[in-house]
Amino acid sequence: MFRNYCKIAFRSLMKSKFTSFVNIGGLAISLASFLIILLYLNYELSYDRWDPSLKQVYRVSRQTESNFANNPVPAPLAPLLQEHMKEVEAYTRIIPSGKHEILISVDDRKIYQQNVVMADSGFLQVFPLRLLAGNAATAFNEPASALITKAVSEKLFGKEDPMGKVIKVYNRMAFTVTGVIAEPATPSHINASIILRDPYMAANSGWGNISYISYIRLREPLSPGVLEDKVNRIFYEHRLKTGNESYAAYIKAGHAPSLFTEAVPDIHNFPRLGSSPFKTTMILFLLAGLLLLSGALNSSNLSLVKTLKRSREVGVRKVMGSSRSQILGQFMMEVTIQCGISLLLAMCLCVVMLPLFNQTFGLSLSFSGQLYSYKMILQGGAALLAIILISGLYPAMVFSRRSVVHVMKGNFSMGNTGKRFSHSLIVVQFAVSVFFMVSVLVMAHQMNFMKHRDIGFNPEQVVQIEAMQPTREKNFEQTRAKLLRIPGVQLVSKTTAVPGGDIDTSFSTFNYAGSSRALSSVRVSTDFFATLGIAVLAGRMFSDAHPEDQDNTAIINESAAKSLGVVDPVGTQIRYASCDSVPYQIVGVVKDFQVQGFDSYVRPTLYSISNAHCTYQSGGALLVKVNTASLDKTLAGISALWETIEPGFPLRYSFLDDNFQQVFSSYTRVQYIIHVFTFISVFISVMGLLALTVYMTEQRTREIGIRKVLGASVGGIVALLSKDFLKLVIFSVLIATPVAWYLLERWLRDFAYRAGISWYLFAIAAAGALLIAFATVGLQSLLAARANPVNSLKAE
């Protein structure tokens, strides 16, 4: 019987080629999109799951008064916690380079490498990485030890064994390779290609050093509330306490706990403060689910149409003795085969689409690595089962319920219940399409707003140059003078926080007018604001004509002035709260300028020149404003000069406006995927509506012929056949509009600066849906209306 079911199913597919093509094709496209996003979701959820014990590892961070996360904490904090908390088994402190490239060399071979981590001796005790070579228990015992990945080993040493060999950082600091680390089985929030034991850790372990990100490993997991209470009590008792006031009294007096902890597996997707990429992942997953639902509903509608065409077959089968369960099983088998074919086609589409998805999101996802895992099999199987039930259950019940008497009398209509069901599916499909269209328009509106909004500075004609610390610090003035002698170079400056680049998120507490405020501290040079064309709202810029600017003056931005609660702070004094008795005099207030994109508010910031006060800040880059009239010659001159400034270090530069556009990249990627989803959704809806229109016009062929004989016009018949479908589309617009408005309004909340949702965007989406539906239905109706009535009335 099973063989017979399969044979009938394939015959049915071949008999209705157009309907089968629309059905299987729509399902395959939506299923392929869903599987890729499902793979991406699994990838995101697998962060820091490569070792079960990571649930016992916590990052300790500080929360500023402005509710910003400050991941670096004072260097002695982690050792203090281990000393006074019996629950702490081990700790480690790290400084990751992130995307910043570090020069690594072996003899004459040099590479620039991202993801270099400087750590203390406890790193492998906290993060139990597996070593391909070396002993994890002793690999980090000696100072100046280095762990490298296999990929880095091949870059530096080829096929040679790297163990015991020496690598150099910036041609100066030497480290001995003591281990080769295996890539973690899942992604990690710490991307480590090279891990170096910090040779300066002991000398830099004062409370004033807030450069290290600290992690603690507990013997057993603790609830977040209990752990944070213990951590803050110890920090208060051994660092903040100045008199006899208890911790409870300190908190009761209005002081908020400053430290918070995050379990390592939660850091990437569920950070306590700051933005999370998981929201974007969930948006894509929900949209892919909607797309899959649209494909399944389309399949259900088309399957219902097919049952009506095969009504006489049902009658004959029942007369021949087939039971209702046998007919039901036959139809469900046909639907299962259709969905199975769609799944196979979807897998082929995934092979084609996945490289494009990887390129768009900068990933390296592969079905070969995850498709055969039990999780993907179970999830894919559940999705397929859901599609089969949605696509086939109701049509199969209608198919099996066909009355022999009605069928033999020639009654092949779907009835009021079937018609309502079919129309409901069309409403849902077009509601999904309208939702996608509105989403595209709102996202495009927001992106256009961000791209054209005043960012507060002019990034054009500004070149960012990566430079070594001596070049940025003690040799900066010499380097600046040499660069200014190159034709085309107009201004040269430096900053520790480059707009559009890695942002220094560290905050410091400042005392101002008897109160304390947390401000971001940025070191710049005299011409920084002039280089970027940043406007001064009050006071003046830094100037070489004012020698005191080198050490004792500061400039703040608008947000800082608001944070300090003063209208005109020029001439007032501000100082570091914890470690500096020499105040800054505020000499200017500059306009707020965007450095991170419009999903973040401008941070209240204090700009100064010298590192003589309190904390030492480095990093960042040089900024060179150039004349683009002879850009090639200017860049060639800078490149030639750089060989004398930093011999052996090739010039690395980028244009600031290009870098700043990268801030929008994540939103641009989501916008691109939504465009694709919208096209697929509209295509599926149109194909389903077209197939249903073909069926409806076939059912009303004789009615159309009679109306034409009685004098009905072609336009009148087209309007008659189209109006019911257009009513359904209007109803779908009414359903989709409030849902789209609510969800998109919540999406826009992620932006500190956003455009509103205008009514005309919904009007455009509604008009587009109506136009697409009318074009689809109207074309088929026009063909039916122009048919010769003689052919349709022959049988009469």
Side-chain angles (χ1 to χ4, degrees):
M1 183 174 291
F2 177 77
R3 181 179 179 184
N4 186 50
Y5 282 171
C6 293
K7 186 183 296 183
I8 294 172
F10 280 107
R11 286 176 179 173
S12 175
L13 290 176
M14 296 306 296
K15 187 176 181 180
S16 305
K17 292 184 178 65
F18 176 72
T19 303
S20 299
F21 169 76
V22 173
N23 198 342
I24 294 174
L27 264 181
I29 294 173
S30 58
L31 188 56
S33 302
F34 180 79
L35 288 176
I36 289 177
I37 299 299
L38 182 62
L39 182 68
Y40 179 46
L41 176 65
N42 284 328
Y43 172 83
E44 288 293 307
L45 288 175
S46 69
Y47 261 82
D48 292 305
R49 299 297 197 275
W50 47 270
D51 190 280
S53 69
L54 288 177
K55 63 185 178 182
Q56 299 165 225
V57 180
Y58 297 81
R59 183 174 69 186
V60 183
S61 304
R62 293 187 300 159
Q63 182 174 351
T64 70
E65 296 173 1
S66 304
N67 289 328
F68 289 115
N70 199 15
N71 292 330
V73 294
L77 178 62
L80 179 71
L81 295 178
Q82 186 184 43
E83 181 181 353
H84 296 281
M85 279 183 65
K86 62 181 181 180
E87 294 90 350
V88 177
E89 181 180 11
Y91 69 85
T92 189
R93 296 161 292 179
I94 69 171
I95 301 178
S97 71
K99 294 182 180 180
H100 180 70
E101 295 180 332
I102 306 294
L103 181 67
I104 308 295
S105 60
V106 175
D107 298 328
D108 294 332
R109 184 175 299 177
K110 299 177 182 178
I111 63 170
Y112 277 104
Q113 183 64 49
Q114 295 180 348
N115 301 320
V116 178
V117 176
M118 195 74 76
D120 60 15
S121 60
F123 186 86
L124 292 179
Q125 298 173 34
V126 175
F127 295 99
L129 293 170
R130 185 172 64 88
L131 298 189
L132 301 175
N135 186 345
T138 59
F140 246 27
N141 284 355
E142 297 298 324
S145 299
L147 306 176
I148 62 176
T149 61
K150 185 178 180 181
V152 172
S153 175
E154 291 177 352
K155 288 181 184 179
L156 294 173
F157 303 103
K159 300 298 182 181
E160 296 180 23
D161 182 7
M163 295 296 291
K165 291 185 168 61
V166 175
I167 63 175
K168 288 186 177 182
V169 177
Y170 290 124
N171 291 333
R172 295 198 314 270
M173 296 186 293
F175 294 85
T176 302
V177 177
T178 56
V180 178
I181 54 178
E183 293 287 346
T186 67
S188 174
H189 79 286
I190 299 177
N191 293 315
S193 297
I194 300 176
I195 307 170
L196 307 172
R197 180 170 170 186
D198 190 346
Y200 305 111
M201 178 69 73
N204 294 333
S205 290
W207 284 99
N209 185 355
I210 310 178
S211 303
Y212 297 104
I213 301 174
S214 296
Y215 297 84
I216 55 175
R217 170 181 283 275
L218 303 185
R219 303 181 195 280
E220 295 293 338
L222 289 177
S223 65
V226 173
L227 177 58
E228 288 184 10
D229 182 69
K230 287 178 176 289
V231 167
N232 279 288
R233 283 180 182 275
I234 291 172
F235 185 54
Y236 173 75
E237 291 291 338
H238 298 274
R239 183 61 187 169
L240 301 180
K241 188 175 182 180
T242 57
N244 296 323
E245 186 180 29
S246 67
Y247 177 71
Y250 175 78
I251 295 298
K252 191 175 181 179
H255 300 283
S258 59
L259 301 178
F260 66 96
T261 59
E262 297 168 285
V264 163
D266 296 335
I267 289 175
H268 178 75
N269 289 313
F270 311 106
R272 288 276 298 276
L273 295 173
S275 59
S276 167
F278 190 68
K279 182 174 287 189
T280 299
T281 306
M282 284 306 301
I283 289 174
L284 292 178
F285 179 71
L286 292 175
L287 294 179
L290 279 177
L291 194 62
L292 184 62
L293 177 64
S294 179
L297 294 179
N298 184 63
S299 176
S300 180
N301 216 357
L302 296 179
S303 297
L304 184 60
V305 170
K306 288 179 66 177
T307 66
L308 302 176
K309 292 184 177 181
R310 297 171 62 186
S311 294
R312 186 173 282 116
E313 175 189 337
V314 177
V316 173
R317 284 182 177 277
K318 286 192 173 182
V319 170
M320 299 297 293
S322 293
S323 66
R324 181 180 172 184
S325 61
Q326 288 176 321
I327 296 174
L328 184 68
Q330 175 198 329
F331 190 84
M332 288 304 295
M333 175 59 69
E334 293 180 13
V335 172
T336 303
I337 291 175
Q338 282 187 163
C339 292
I341 295 173
S342 296
L343 179 61
L344 293 176
L345 289 176
M347 293 308 303
C348 295
L349 287 173
C350 285
V351 173
V352 177
M353 294 165 59
L354 190 57
L356 181 60
F357 183 85
N358 283 335
Q359 181 180 0
T360 301
F361 280 82
L363 299 171
S364 56
L365 300 181
S366 171
F367 278 101
S368 61
Q370 297 189 35
L371 179 62
Y372 300 104
S373 68
Y374 73 93
K375 184 181 290 188
M376 277 296 293
I377 292 174
L378 289 176
Q379 292 169 341
L384 184 63
L385 178 61
I387 291 173
I388 292 173
L389 292 177
I390 295 173
S391 302
L393 190 59
Y394 181 79
M397 293 173 65
V398 173
F399 189 54
S400 62
R401 283 179 179 175
R402 305 301 293 173
S403 169
V404 177
V405 175
H406 285 88
V407 170
M408 293 309 176
K409 285 183 178 181
N411 183 6
F412 302 143
S413 68
M414 65 176 67
N416 290 331
T417 302
K419 186 176 294 185
R420 283 196 295 269
F421 178 78
S422 179
H423 288 176
S424 299
L425 297 186
I426 291 177
V427 169
V428 174
Q429 278 185 269
F430 265 91
V432 171
S433 297
V434 170
F435 173 77
F436 276 118
M437 286 190 278
V438 172
S439 299
V440 165
L441 292 173
V442 171
M443 288 184 175
H445 187 53
Q446 175 65 20
M447 291 296 295
N448 185 65
F449 168 79
M450 291 191 298
K451 289 179 178 178
H452 293 89
R453 187 179 187 274
D454 181 18
I455 60 176
F457 72 98
N458 182 13
E460 296 179 0
Q461 299 177 301
V462 178
V463 178
Q464 173 188 338
I465 298 179
E466 301 290 337
M468 297 284 293
Q469 183 172 337
T471 306
R472 297 192 310 268
E473 300 299 329
K474 65 179 182 180
N475 297 329
F476 171 71
E477 291 300 331
Q478 297 177 12
T479 303
R480 174 173 173 259
K482 292 177 181 178
L483 286 169
L484 287 172
R485 287 197 287 268
I486 297 175
V489 173
Q490 299 173 336
L491 292 167
V492 178
S493 62
K494 65 175 181 176
T495 176
T496 57
V498 182
D502 292 333
I503 305 302
D504 181 0
T505 58
S506 61
F507 279 80
S508 296
T509 302
F510 291 87
N511 287 337
Y512 181 83
S515 62
S516 61
R517 290 290 185 273
L519 305 178
S520 180
S521 176
V522 177
R523 306 292 192 206
V524 298
S525 62
T526 305
D527 289 335
F528 170 72
F529 300 108
T531 302
L532 294 182
I534 298 170
V536 176
L537 302 180
R540 61 176 177 84
M541 292 185 183
F542 292 129
S543 172
D544 291 332
H546 293 271
E548 67 273 17
D549 287 351
Q550 295 301 314
D551 292 317
N552 299 321
T553 64
I555 292 175
I556 62 174
N557 62 2
E558 287 180 89
S559 294
K562 292 176 183 176
S563 178
L564 297 177
V566 60
V567 177
D568 185 9
V570 176
T572 59
Q573 293 185 338
I574 188 171
R575 71 179 70 212
Y576 282 98
S578 59
C579 58
D580 199 356
S581 60
V582 180
Y584 286 116
Q585 182 176 13
I586 299 175
V587 297
V589 179
V590 294
K591 180 180 180 182
D592 279 346
F593 60 98
Q594 212 61 45
V595 295
Q596 290 177 278
F598 296 102
D599 57 342
S600 300
Y601 287 102
V602 175
R603 297 173 183 270
T605 305
L606 180 143
Y607 299 92
S608 58
I609 293 178
S610 172
N611 268 316
H613 286 251
C614 192
T615 60
Y616 184 86
Q617 291 180 257
S618 186
L622 304 188
L623 301 178
V624 180
K625 189 172 185 63
V626 298
N627 186 343
T628 55
S630 55
L631 182 60
D632 291 341
K633 292 182 179 179
T634 301
L635 291 177
I638 294 174
S639 182
L641 174 64
W642 208 255
E643 293 179 2
T644 64
I645 294 175
E646 293 185 356
F649 294 87
L651 175 68
R652 290 176 298 151
Y653 71 90
S654 58
F655 286 91
L656 203 59
D657 52 353
D658 292 337
N659 294 349
F660 197 77
Q661 288 302 315
Q662 296 299 315
V663 173
F664 304 108
S665 60
S666 60
Y667 303 108
T668 305
R669 290 193 294 261
V670 174
Q671 187 182 24
Y672 175 79
I673 295 297
I674 300 264
H675 273 85
V676 175
F677 282 2
T678 302
F679 174 80
I680 295 172
S681 175
V682 171
F683 173 77
I684 291 173
S685 299
V686 166
M687 290 296 99
L689 185 61
L690 180 60
L692 193 61
T693 306
V694 170
Y695 166 74
M696 292 299 184
T697 53
E698 287 178 356
Q699 292 292 304
R700 302 177 71 174
T701 299
R702 289 172 182 169
E703 176 192 342
I704 294 170
I706 293 172
R707 287 181 179 275
K708 290 195 69 174
V709 169
L710 294 177
S713 66
V714 172
I717 294 174
V718 171
L720 176 69
L721 296 176
S722 302
K723 67 178 183 179
D724 290 338
F725 290 108
L726 294 180
K727 288 179 182 177
L728 297 177
V729 176
I730 293 173
F731 190 47
S732 70
V733 170
L734 296 178
I735 292 175
T737 297
V739 176
W741 182 88
Y742 174 76
L743 294 177
L744 289 168
E745 179 66 26
R746 290 185 66 86
W747 176 73
L748 286 173
R749 290 178 188 175
D750 287 342
F751 297 91
Y753 306 94
R754 56 183 177 268
I757 301 180
S758 302
W759 65 268
Y760 68 85
L761 300 176
F762 292 89
I764 293 173
L770 285 170
L771 183 62
I772 292 171
F774 181 76
T776 303
V777 177
L779 178 61
Q780 186 58 38
S781 300
L782 181 63
L783 294 176
R786 295 181 63 182
N788 191 340
V790 175
N791 297 326
S792 60
L793 298 175
K794 275 182 180 180
E796 299 296 324

